[in-house]
Amino acid sequence: MSVPLPRSIPPRSILFVCAMNAVRSPMAELLARKVLPAATFVASAGVRGGERDPFVDAVLAEDGLSLGDRHPRTLDDLEDDYFDLIITLSPEAHHTALELTRSLSVDVEYWPMPDPTGVGGTREQIMAAYRELRERLTARIGRRFLAPEAEKPG
């Protein structure tokens, strides 16, 4: 049984997992990298393979972030399978992570996040759903990993 790290000490390695590593987990990976120390290894993966989502690129670009030439990958594609913390962002990812880590000493946290791919309408309505996800992830990452005084706007 692992002892959870105090919230003020970021884990040395974090894996974000969602269904297809196309929207939620790659977005969380980049947003976490933006605020965590460079020494913290952050990665993301999906339960199944997915396709890159251009709305993710557009929303991340609004924050000055880019996935570069990175494409969705599955848990099987990961070179390293040991992480101090696995954060799951969808029910399917959470179930899979719990199954994979039954015999491992790793913390698994479930952060249910909406899937904006189901939103229809105009381009602006779709972008609004992706922006909402970005803001929810940013807030959750801040609450989990940043000291309270670091979260407050200066």
Side-chain angles (χ1 to χ4, degrees):
M1 180 169 164
S2 66
V3 175
L5 294 168
R7 295 218 182 248
S8 60
I9 301 171
R12 290 177 309 225
S13 58
I14 303 166
L15 176 66
F16 290 96
V17 183
C18 68
M20 295 186 286
N21 193 226
V23 179
R24 292 169 282 193
S25 58
M27 196 180 288
E29 176 185 351
L30 258 64
L31 293 168
R33 282 185 181 173
K34 181 179 173 180
V35 299
L36 289 171
T40 304
F41 179 75
V42 182
S44 67
V47 175
R48 300 182 312 277
E51 296 296 319
R52 188 152 166 174
D53 187 315
F55 288 108
V56 171
D57 292 317
V59 167
L60 288 172
E62 293 175 347
D63 263 9
L65 300 172
S66 171
L67 290 170
D69 62 356
R70 187 193 178 288
H71 291 281
R73 60 183 168 221
T74 66
L75 291 166
D76 291 336
D77 296 332
L78 294 175
E79 292 176 22
D80 188 1
D81 61 357
Y82 177 79
F83 292 89
D84 294 321
L85 175 63
I86 298 174
I87 297 173
T88 60
L89 305 169
S90 70
E92 178 183 13
H94 190 65
H95 175 74
T96 300
L98 291 177
E99 286 296 314
L100 291 173
T101 61
R102 273 203 274 192
S103 61
L104 301 175
S105 177
V106 60
D107 291 325
V108 178
E109 294 179 10
Y110 180 40
W111 297 2
M113 290 289 157
D115 181 359
T117 62
V119 173
T122 66
R123 184 180 198 289
E124 190 52 38
Q125 290 169 323
I126 295 168
M127 286 291 289
Y130 280 76
R131 287 182 188 113
E132 179 185 340
L133 172 62
R134 180 191 63 203
E135 296 313 310
R136 288 178 73 163
L137 285 167
T138 299
R140 187 70 188 257
I141 289 165
R143 284 193 311 271
R144 174 60 173 88
F145 299 114
L146 301 179
E149 60 276 3
E151 292 181 61
K152 295 177 185 154

